[in-house]
């Protein structure tokens, strides 16, 4: 027999956005259900040192922070479900989501907080040195490379913005790009080329991230020239892969409007084009992509959903 779980508010995703939405929804008496997805806790569960989340003087661990957020959500009444959603029906309320084992989740409102994943190169050493010199977020990790040599891999807006940001901490930033011209906006390129702390390596593809030292960490990057095929090596303390992010929105293709894969919400709110469906965090935010902004949007989504339900309840009562 197929199990069905029903709630006033259904939350898909359990990163900072989803858990913040759950905390606010539970405190409002909506008994939210959080379907945690393939990566419970979101990207912070694979982030070691976190130094920019408000409220903590000392460095904290990403997995610990998410454990605390989940414990807080459960303490105030949110229910966690360990499942992976495979299909979604937004054609009518209550909305129905189906897990990979056939379990049905029904919600009067839905908060989508499935996040986004950084795109990686998929080369040797990248995974092994993740958090040990290789990162995909300069804003998150650049602080740890004060006064050190760093490289940024990419050629679009993200890469140029990361390189410019890193000059706040490093005096030696190298942008590595596989082509001979950048895709970034002209104004960003002008800022990049005018910054004496940044140099550019053209027509270079990363072959391998090289580890070593004590404690073990990144010590350099092996490169291949995309024109000549010549191999080279650049020594570095940190490498930032900046080739973009991919929002986790596959389930909603054809169901909700998107912009480059990100869910579109009404300006200043978390409301999507479908009444009763809200989006929060990195799944809709292509600009900031920070844990604290995701948490803030999670709060917004719960408040928006609570208002929507109150108005729907009033209209139903008035129609009787």
């Amino acid at each position: 027999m197929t199990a069905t779980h029903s709630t006033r508010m259904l939350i898909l995703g359990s990163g900072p956005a989803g858990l913040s939405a759950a905390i606010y929804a539970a405190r409002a008496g909506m008994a939210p259900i959080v379907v945690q997805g393939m990566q419970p806790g979101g990207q912070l569960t694979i982030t070691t040192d976190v130094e920019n989340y408000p409220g903590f003087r000392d460095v904290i661990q990403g997995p610990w922070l998410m454990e605390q957020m989940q414990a807080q959500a459960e303490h105030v009444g949110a229910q966690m479900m360990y499942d992976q959603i495979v299909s979604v029906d937004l054609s009518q309320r209550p909305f129905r989501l189906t897990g990979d084992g056939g379990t049905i989740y029904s919600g009067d409102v839905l908060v989508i907080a499935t996040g986004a994943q950084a795109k990686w190169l998929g080369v040797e050493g990248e995974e092994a040195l993740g958090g040990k010199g290789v990162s995909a977020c300069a804003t998150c990790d650049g602080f740890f490379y004060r006064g050190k040599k760093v490289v940024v891999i990419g050629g679009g807006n993200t890469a140029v913005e990361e390189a410019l940001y890193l000059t706040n901490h490093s005096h030696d930033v190298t942008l590595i790009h596989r082509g001979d011209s950048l895709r970034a906006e002209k104004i960003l390129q002008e800022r990049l080329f005018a910054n004496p702390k940044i140099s550019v390596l053209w027509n270079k593809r990363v072959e391998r991230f090289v580890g070593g030292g004590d404690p073990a960490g990144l010590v350099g990057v092996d490169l291949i020239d995309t024109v000549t095929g010549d191999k080279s090596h650049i020594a570095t303390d940190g490498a930032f892969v900046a080739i973009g992010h991919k929002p986790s929105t596959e389930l909603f293709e054809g169901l909700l409007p998107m912009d480059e894969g990100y869910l579109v919400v009404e300006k200043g709110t978390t409301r999507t084009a479908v009444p009763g469906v809200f989006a929060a965090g990195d799944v809709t935010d292509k600009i900031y992509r920070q844990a604290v902004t995701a948490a803030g949007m999670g709060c917004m989504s719960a408040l928006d959903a609570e208002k929507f339900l109150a108005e729907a309840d009033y209209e139903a009562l008035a129609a009787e």
Side-chain angles (χ1 to χ4, degrees), residues 94 125 130 196 218 237:
L218 181 75
D237 300 297

Side-chain angles (χ1 to χ4, degrees), residues 116-132:
Q117 300 294 325
K119 294 179 182 178
W120 295 95
L121 297 169
V123 301
E124 183 182 344
E126 185 174 53
E127 185 175 355
L129 292 167
K132 300 175 183 178

Side-chain angles (χ1 to χ4, degrees), residues 217-276:
L218 181 75
V219 296
V221 180
D222 286 344
L223 305 171
I224 296 179
D225 192 290
T226 57
V227 177
T228 66
D230 293 342
K231 295 188 176 184
S232 60
H233 176 86
I234 180 172
T236 187
D237 300 297
F240 293 85
V241 179
I243 56 175
H245 286 73
K246 186 180 187 302
S248 301
T249 54
E250 296 87 350
L251 279 171
F252 304 98
E253 290 179 0
L255 302 177
L256 293 169
M258 300 183 188
D259 178 14
E260 297 180 357
Y262 291 85
L263 294 179
V264 175
V265 294
E266 183 179 328
K267 188 175 182 179
T269 78
T270 60
R271 294 192 293 266
T272 71
V274 174

